[in-house]
């Protein structure tokens, strides 16, 4: 089964070093992605937990 990724969303915070490393890695590889800063947006933080079940960052969501 060959699925193509339509969108990559990185949920992150400004203080998370692992979030910064992942963002830099994605950019260095030229991989298009969207970054959602959950420390600035409580709505997006709640959405992240509901959609992924994860409460810590980074969280990377792939949409096919």
């Amino acid at each position: 089964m060959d699925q193509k990724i339509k969108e990559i969303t990185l949920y992150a915070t400004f203080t998370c070093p692992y979030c910064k490393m992942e963002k830099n890695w994605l950019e260095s590889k030229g991989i298009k992605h969207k970054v959602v800063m959950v420390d600035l947006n409580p709505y997006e933080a709640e959405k992240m937990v509901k959609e992924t079940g994860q409460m810590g960052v980074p969280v990377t969501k792939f949409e096919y």
Side-chain angles (χ1 to χ4, degrees):
M1 184 162 72
D2 232 4
Q3 292 182 339
K4 291 198 176 191
I5 298 172
K6 293 179 185 173
E7 185 175 74
I8 298 173
T9 304
L10 171 61
Y11 292 96
T13 63
F14 283 105
T15 58
C16 171
Y18 300 106
C19 299
K20 291 176 188 175
M21 286 191 304
E22 182 173 349
K23 181 179 178 290
N24 290 340
W25 184 85
L26 289 167
E27 289 173 356
S28 75
K29 301 297 180 191
I31 299 171
K32 289 179 113 179
H33 61 286
K34 176 173 75 170
V35 178
V36 176
M37 303 307 285
V38 294
D39 51 352
L40 296 180
N41 192 329
Y43 170 78
E44 289 293 337
E46 187 176 321
K47 183 177 157 187
M48 175 192 80
V49 173
K50 284 182 182 176
E51 289 182 2
T52 68
Q54 300 298 310
M55 298 200 53
V57 290
V59 172
T60 309
K61 185 174 122 185
F62 299 91
E63 294 196 34
Y64 297 92

